[in-house]
Each structure stands twice: as structure tokens, then as C-alpha cells.
Amino acid sequence: MRIDSRKPKAAALSAALTVALLAGAGATDAHAATLSDTVGSTPSETTLVQPVDYRGDGYGSMQEWNASMEAKRDSLEMCAQIIMNMYGDYATDDERAVLQGCIDGAGSLLTMGEVDAKSTELDELRTALEDAKREALEAAAEAEAAEASYYNAGYTPSYASAASCTNGSGLTRSAGVNNYNGRRETYYSSNVLYHYRTGEWTQDSEGFWRDSDGYYVVAAGDMAQGSTFTGSKGDCKVYDSGCAAGTTDYYTGW
């Protein structure tokens, strides 16, 4: 069978002419470069995309846009992984599929709009799963209280005394979720997600990680890295993000 070697050459020539015509028509170098990377591939290998309008996204160069896009994709993937690790047991199959899709497919998102939309979806999903976890813990505590009351006639412990969402001891392992000063408090574990600076910190008697200055190590997506504030356990310092606004994630060894 004879193979016509002229077709690849013709495709390459067509790609070069297309880029040249775009440059002559006033297209940006970034537009031309994006198209030249795309048009030389076969339809089975790639999907044609629109050139990136990095200026329209507020960037001064394609390099800046690429760096920001890569950081956003990495953050999205990490956020999805954290949510999966913390709340996967309380998610439906469809919710786990959404999380897994972000973990596996963050790199395939092509525009800032797509990344931002997926980030918003993750924030909403995280809030829903936090509620699902809280409800499950409440139900378990109520069941435990009911069982205890069966064996202790005359005394019926309430949920508030067994595992409260707002208590004087702050966030605890048994409660899992705590509300303090307008913020929702929960935790993420070094047994699941090992922070690259974990070796610098120590665990206290309750299993919370604390830095060399005694601050509780927390994640807070709506606060700057290194900022400090007071949580239910005491003074906290932000070392991580990836959680919904209004949420404080304590780093624990649980």
C-alpha cells in the first residue's frame, strides 16, 4: 500500500500559513503561538481551542498567564483532594465523582473562567459535605445518648452534653465540627495530608499541631498566609488554604 507523504507536509504548510496570516492581520504573538501548537495535530489527538486572551484576563504576558493558570489548577486539585480526604465518607457517588474529576482533570481546564467556576462549585460542595458530616455526627451522638439512657434509667443525656457543635472546650475530635465567633471550625489530618512543613511543628496533648511559637497550625482560605487570629482553641496562625470562606481547619494528628 502506498502512503501519501504529502499530507503531513501540506498540513504543516497550512499551519504555518495560518499563523503568518494571523500575524499579518494584527494577531498577538500569544494568539499565533497557541494556534500553531494546535493546528498541526490531528483531530484525534487534540481539540481545537480559542487562542488565550491573556490581556483580557488582566495579565501582561502569556508567561504570567501560564504561571497563574498553573497555580490555580494546582490549588483546585489540592482543594478537591483535601475535601475528598476529609468528607469522602459522607459524599454521594455523584459528589465523589465531581471531586475525583477535579483531582484527575484540573489540568485539562483551559480558561480562567472554567477554573473559577470549578472552584466555586468545590466551595459549595465542601459546605454541603461539612453539613452532611455534622448531621451524621449529630445522629451518631443522639443514638449513643439514646442507648446510654436505656441503660441508665432516670437520666437521659442530651446531644449537647455528648458532642456539641458549640462547646466550651472548642473543637474536639469527637465533635468534629465547632462554631466559634462566626467561623466554622473543623480539622484535617496529617495522617491523610502531610504538610511539607509538618516536620517543623509538634503535636500537643490533644493531637493538634502547633508551631514553634505555640500557634495552632490552621488552614483558612479567606485569610492571608502567616496571619494570626483567635480560634476556639487559642491563638492560630494560617499556614494553608484550600477551604471555604469562613472556615478554619485545624491541622491535627487524628
Side-chain angles (χ1 to χ4, degrees):
M1 180 177 76
R2 179 181 178 183
I3 300 176
D4 188 347
S5 63
R6 295 173 297 173
K7 291 182 178 180
K9 294 178 180 178
L13 180 59
S14 175
L17 288 174
T18 301
V19 174
L21 288 172
L22 280 172
T28 65
D29 292 339
H31 287 193
T34 302
L35 187 58
S36 66
D37 291 339
T38 305
V39 296
S41 303
T42 63
S44 61
E45 296 172 339
T46 189
T47 301
L48 296 179
V49 297
Q50 293 296 320
V52 172
D53 180 14
Y54 61 80
R55 289 192 177 91
D57 284 336
Y59 296 90
S61 69
M62 192 63 188
Q63 288 77 9
E64 291 178 6
W65 187 94
N66 279 331
S68 179
M69 188 64 164
E70 182 177 357
K72 283 177 174 283
R73 287 169 176 159
D74 289 346
S75 177
L76 185 68
E77 181 180 342
M78 179 179 293
C79 181
Q81 187 64 67
I82 290 173
I83 296 172
M84 180 72 85
N85 293 341
M86 294 177 61
Y87 305 110
D89 291 342
Y90 305 95
T92 65
D93 290 342
D94 288 342
E95 289 168 336
R96 279 191 290 271
V98 171
L99 293 172
Q100 196 62 52
C102 288
I103 294 170
D104 297 335
S108 65
L109 299 175
L110 301 175
T111 69
M112 291 291 179
E114 289 178 340
V115 174
D116 291 342
K118 189 61 68 175
S119 179
T120 298
E121 182 180 3
L122 280 186
D123 284 345
E124 294 173 350
L125 179 55
R126 181 184 182 122
T127 298
L129 291 177
E130 285 177 347
D131 289 340
K133 178 178 179 178
R134 175 180 53 78
E135 291 170 1
L137 290 170
E138 288 176 354
E142 289 173 353
E144 183 179 352
E147 182 178 358
S149 68
Y150 179 81
Y151 293 103
N152 295 279
Y155 173 67
T156 304
S158 66
Y159 167 67
S161 64
S164 175
C165 280
T166 304
N167 59 67
S169 301
L171 181 71
T172 63
R173 183 175 184 176
S174 59
V177 178
N178 184 63
N179 296 315
Y180 180 81
N181 199 25
R183 296 184 66 82
R184 180 192 296 266
E185 297 182 329
T186 182
Y187 68 90
Y188 65 116
S189 173
S190 58
N191 297 324
V192 177
L193 192 66
Y194 197 78
H195 194 284
Y196 74 97
R197 295 186 63 181
T198 303
E200 303 174 23
W201 306 323
T202 57
Q203 286 188 58
D204 64 14
S205 59
E206 294 182 278
F208 289 91
W209 286 99
R210 303 176 76 161
D211 69 9
S212 58
D213 294 320
Y215 286 101
Y216 286 88
V217 176
V218 301
D222 56 352
M223 295 188 182
Q225 296 279 319
S227 60
T228 60
F229 65 97
T230 301
S232 67
K233 303 302 296 183
D235 292 334
C236 303
K237 191 168 186 177
V238 179
Y239 283 96
D240 206 351
S241 57
C243 51
T247 296
T248 300
D249 278 344
Y250 284 83
Y251 195 40
T252 73
W254 302 336

